Structures are given as structure tokens and as C-alpha cells.
Amino acid sequence: MESVVVGGVRIAYEQVGSGRPVVLSGGTGMPPVAWELCGLRDALVTRGHQVVTYAARGVAPSDAPPAPYTMAGLAGDLAGLMDHLGIRGAAVVGYSLGSFTAELLARRRPDLVGALVLMAGAGPLTGVVDAVIDAEAELVGLLGHLPPAFATLQTLLSTLPPLVLRDDAGEVAAWRELLGGQEAVWTSPAGEAGQAAASHAWLRDAERMAALTGIRARTLAVAFEHDLYFPPWTGAEAVRLLPRGELAVVEGAAHGGVLTHSGATAEVLLQFLERA
């Protein structure tokens, strides 16, 4: 991967394809290769887009400055990367934590964002997410990071649809094995603690929902039917406030729908980009 230093933090990135630029911003601890493995990156390239993926601060091989991080810092990293690449008016697609980054970028640097996609991250704080924040903050406070077994369980329970979790032991075992090495994606424990702090502060920001009214880019909120963190009703609340917002729901998927239902997610995204 290539890299650029933004505000003293080295950010690693990749560019593939040619055409209208699409920037993909991943979720907590999500390595850029995940966009390739789920097929979304290649689907965009095939449809004539230049695709930029990157490792947010804290995710290897980017730098991990000392925690805590802020969403302003994460959005500033992305703005610096796009400035370095000379990209303006791009379609910026964020997933989960990356959705928060993309949302704030659209507010603070509207020149960079021609169209906005918020996947599994648009809308108000829910009771489940509020409880997750408390659990994560307590563990990070005690240990300095999330225990790997806890992180695997949390990701497993949120990523897979309920019927898979209940009935498909083989699929659950395969995902558990895949997730067992997720601690390796972090540059250092500071990266994990830093991203958690940024996410927690963002989600409990009492002003962020009202700020959606200031986003002028055409925006698609993508919700996954069985998402416990950002269910479809939260996406609908966001769209109600967005001046040019619309909602799409991917049926059968949980919070990890971008990975488990990548074909349906890609189709929703591509249709929106063609309209936008």
C-alpha cells in the first residue's frame, strides 16, 4: 500500500480502477482488504469507478498515535488523504464507524463529497448501542484494550443474522475462526482504544442528529434488516432530517451485511451511484 502523512499520522491507502472516484471508509478495526474480499471494491471498478480504500488511524499498516481519537481527527485524516490525491466531489461510502467519518466529512468539507452513503451507521443512539458503549469503555478502562475473546463474540453476535446464529453451527464456527485473528488488524492497542473512544463520543453527541440538516450532498442511508445497532428505523430517522436523503434496506442481513450480503449491498450502492 502507498501512504501519506496527514497531520503527523501516516495513513496507508490503495487506488484501483478509473472513472468517477469512490472512497470507501471502513468500520472499527476494518482493514482495507475487507472491501476486496467482500467483492464490493471490484463491483465498483467493474462499473467504471476509481476506488480508494484506506486504513484509518489505528488500523495496520497506518500509524496508531496515542488514544483517545476523535471523529474530527478521523475525518481530518480522510480529508487530508483526498486532498493529497486531488479528489473532489467523490462518492464517499462509509460503513459503521466509517459512516460516522463520512458523515462528518460531508458536513465539514462539502467540496470533497459529491454523494454520500451511510451504511449501518445513520441515526440516533439505540439502547443496545448504549449498553455496548458502557461495556467497551469499562473493559478498555480496566485493560487498555478489548479482550480478544470478547471482541470476537461481540462481532460474531452483531455480524451474523439471527437465524444463522441460532441454527447454522458450521457457519458460526467458520466466522468464529475468521474473527479469531482480528486483534492482528490493529497497529497497536492504542489504535483499538482510540477508535473506541472516537465512536463512543460521537454516538453520545447530543447535537449530531440535528447537524444532519446541514448535509447538502445527496445521501443514501443503507440499513440492514436485523441490525441490532442501527436497525432500519434509525436510518429512517436520519433520512427524515437529511435534505436530500433516501433509505434502502437490505433484507435478511445483520450489522455485518456488507460482508454477509455483499451482492445485495453492492446492487443497492451501484443503483444509487447511477442515480446520483
Side-chain angles (χ1 to χ4, degrees):
M1 299 183 73
E2 299 178 82
S3 65
V4 60
V5 175
V6 180
V9 180
R10 184 175 59 89
I11 301 296
Y13 67 93
E14 283 188 314
Q15 298 181 86
V16 294
S18 60
R20 181 188 176 190
V22 177
V23 179
L24 302 177
S25 183
T28 302
M30 182 174 170
V33 71
W35 294 110
E36 179 183 359
L37 294 176
C38 74
L40 191 57
R41 188 197 71 172
D42 292 345
L44 288 163
V45 171
T46 299
R47 296 287 274 268
H49 292 281
Q50 174 197 13
V51 181
V52 177
T53 59
Y54 73 103
R57 66 165 68 191
V59 175
S62 292
D63 287 345
Y69 304 163
T70 64
M71 288 312 307
L74 292 171
D77 292 343
L78 180 52
L81 171 60
M82 294 176 70
D83 284 337
H84 169 74
L85 297 175
I87 293 175
R88 294 288 184 276
V92 180
V93 180
Y95 165 67
S96 196
L97 175 68
S99 172
F100 311 156
T101 304
E103 183 181 317
L104 187 56
L105 182 73
R107 281 163 41 189
R108 295 194 169 184
R109 290 291 306 273
D111 59 309
L112 300 179
V113 184
L116 179 65
V117 180
L118 307 175
M119 291 186 183
L125 178 69
T126 63
V128 170
V129 173
D130 201 35
V132 168
I133 289 173
D134 283 344
E136 289 184 348
E138 184 171 340
L139 286 168
V140 171
L142 289 170
L143 304 173
H145 64 95
L146 296 178
F150 173 85
T152 296
L153 176 62
Q154 180 188 21
T155 307
L156 188 71
L157 292 177
S158 62
T159 296
L160 299 181
L163 291 181
V164 173
L165 288 169
R166 189 189 72 180
D167 298 333
D168 195 337
E171 185 74 4
V172 171
W175 273 91
R176 185 179 179 186
E177 181 179 359
L178 177 66
L179 295 170
Q182 64 179 324
E183 65 269 20
V185 306
W186 297 107
T187 308
S188 70
E192 185 177 21
Q195 286 200 0
S199 175
H200 297 170
W202 171 265
L203 288 165
R204 286 182 169 162
D205 181 353
E207 307 299 323
R208 68 179 179 84
M209 286 297 293
L212 289 172
T213 59
I215 293 178
R216 298 305 169 191
R218 187 168 181 174
T219 304
L220 175 68
V222 179
F224 299 114
E225 181 184 10
H226 300 298
D227 190 344
L228 296 177
Y229 295 167
F230 289 92
W233 71 263
T234 65
E237 282 294 299
V239 166
R240 184 177 62 82
L241 295 170
L242 286 160
R244 302 177 66 196
E246 54 187 276
L247 175 68
V249 178
V250 177
E251 295 182 357
H255 188 69
V258 70
L259 301 172
T260 63
H261 292 65
S262 54
T265 302
E267 192 56 35
V268 164
L269 172 59
L270 290 166
Q271 288 178 8
F272 171 74
L273 294 180
E274 289 175 1
R275 295 194 304 274

